Amino acid sequence: MLFDVFENRIIVSGKIVATKPLHIGASDNGIDPVQVDLPVLKDTYRRPLIPGSSLKGVLRSRLEAILKNPALKGSWTSCNIINDDESCIEKHIKDIKARNKDNYRAMAEEIYQKSCDVCKLFGNKQMSARVQIKDMMFIGEKLEFERRDGVGIDRDTETAYPGAKYNFEIVPAGALFDFYMVAENLGEKQRKLLNLILKLLRDGEVSVGGYTTRGLGQIKLIDEKIDEIDKNNIASYYGLG
């Protein structure tokens, strides 16, 4: 399925609850001398947020790992888009473009067909994603952040670096964020992967941000609502009937 004709749209809304404390680091630490060494990412109103891109990256990695299980070999395909040699499409792209240089639709269709199941949902260097996850904004007016201490470790000696102590900011467990995900023009296999994504979120099997090896970052989807638009209700949904 390409994007030039609307086939279906699935909208999932709800809330994300931090079941464990959460740290998604900000890129700019600022110049405040009393500020924590590693603050969390915040919006203009100093409220924490979870970038949709961060959650998408985690979900993609989980799907790739699951589908590479030998028990699923032959039924599902997954690649490594970071390495061109292991990418499902990069090893074919020059040939595809050479053969279809005057037919862009045929080129797009072949790119889609040769892409793995994960890329068909999350996209790759040659193809847009079919799933969008909006940035998850904090629900509430104010939040009291917590601080924790950390220390840099020399992995060769397994001892602390001298003077390498630091502190980092965390969002406490129980914080709520809004959730909004849209999936468009999904085929049968992509619908199954979307259902798997939702199961991982509902069951709290996903962790985002930093220090996940310390137990931070676990989140869970609650108050979930799913709306679907397809050929059966598109006219009434968009007021075109």
Side-chain angles (χ1 to χ4, degrees), residues 14-194:
K15 297 184 182 71
I16 289 290
V17 58
T19 56
K20 295 291 179 66
L22 177 70
H23 175 88
I24 295 180
S27 58
D28 182 9
N29 291 346
I31 58 174
D32 186 348
V34 299
Q35 181 171 280
V36 67
D37 295 326
L38 300 175
V40 299
L41 184 64
K42 303 180 183 73
D43 64 15
T44 306
Y45 301 100
R46 309 298 294 169
R47 296 175 300 194
L49 63 90
I50 303 174
S53 57
S54 295
L55 181 55
K56 277 183 67 176
V58 171
L59 291 172
R60 179 175 194 139
S61 295
R62 288 299 304 276
L63 286 190
E64 289 173 345
I66 291 171
L67 298 190
K68 286 176 182 175
N69 188 289
L72 299 175
K73 187 176 182 180
S75 301
W76 296 89
T77 54
S78 176
C79 76
N80 179 3
I81 62 168
I82 305 300
N83 187 339
D84 286 353
D85 293 334
E86 299 178 37
S87 168
C88 58
I89 196 62
E90 290 305 311
K91 54 190 174 185
H92 299 295
I93 194 62
K94 288 184 180 180
D95 179 57
I96 293 173
K97 288 184 176 180
R99 286 187 289 99
N100 299 284
K101 60 182 179 180
D102 296 322
N103 189 334
Y104 292 107
R105 183 174 185 85
M107 183 188 303
E109 289 177 346
E110 188 169 354
I111 288 172
Y112 179 77
Q113 291 303 322
K114 280 189 164 61
S115 294
C116 72
D117 291 319
V118 177
C119 284
K120 285 177 180 177
L121 185 64
F122 282 99
N124 52 36
K125 295 178 183 179
Q126 308 296 333
M127 184 173 64
S128 298
R130 295 177 183 273
V131 172
Q132 303 173 22
I133 300 179
K134 306 299 184 185
D135 289 348
M136 288 146 276
M137 314 304 290
F138 174 70
I139 299 174
E141 294 299 322
K142 189 177 180 181
L143 183 71
E144 295 295 331
F145 295 99
E146 299 174 5
R147 295 189 180 189
R148 290 191 180 179
D149 293 326
V151 63
I153 300 294
D154 185 326
R155 298 194 180 277
D156 292 327
T157 64
E158 297 184 355
T159 59
Y161 279 116
K165 186 177 179 181
Y166 62 91
N167 56 24
F168 59 96
E169 195 171 43
I170 60 172
V171 177
L176 289 174
F177 301 82
D178 61 5
F179 179 80
Y180 190 86
M181 177 171 68
V182 177
E184 291 192 328
N185 286 8
L186 298 189
E188 182 180 353
K189 295 188 81 172
Q190 281 64 58
R191 284 174 176 266
K192 289 183 178 180
L193 292 183
L194 180 65

Side-chain angles (χ1 to χ4, degrees), residues 10-17 177-181 194-204 220-227:
I10 299 172
I11 302 171
V12 183
S13 57
K15 297 184 182 71
I16 289 290
V17 58
F177 301 82
D178 61 5
F179 179 80
Y180 190 86
M181 177 171 68
L194 180 65
N195 289 336
L196 174 53
I197 285 172
L198 293 178
K199 175 177 172 54
L200 293 173
L201 289 171
R202 293 186 198 111
D203 294 348
K220 187 175 183 178
L221 175 63
I222 62 173
D223 297 341
E224 171 193 337
K225 178 185 176 186
I226 300 178
D227 293 310

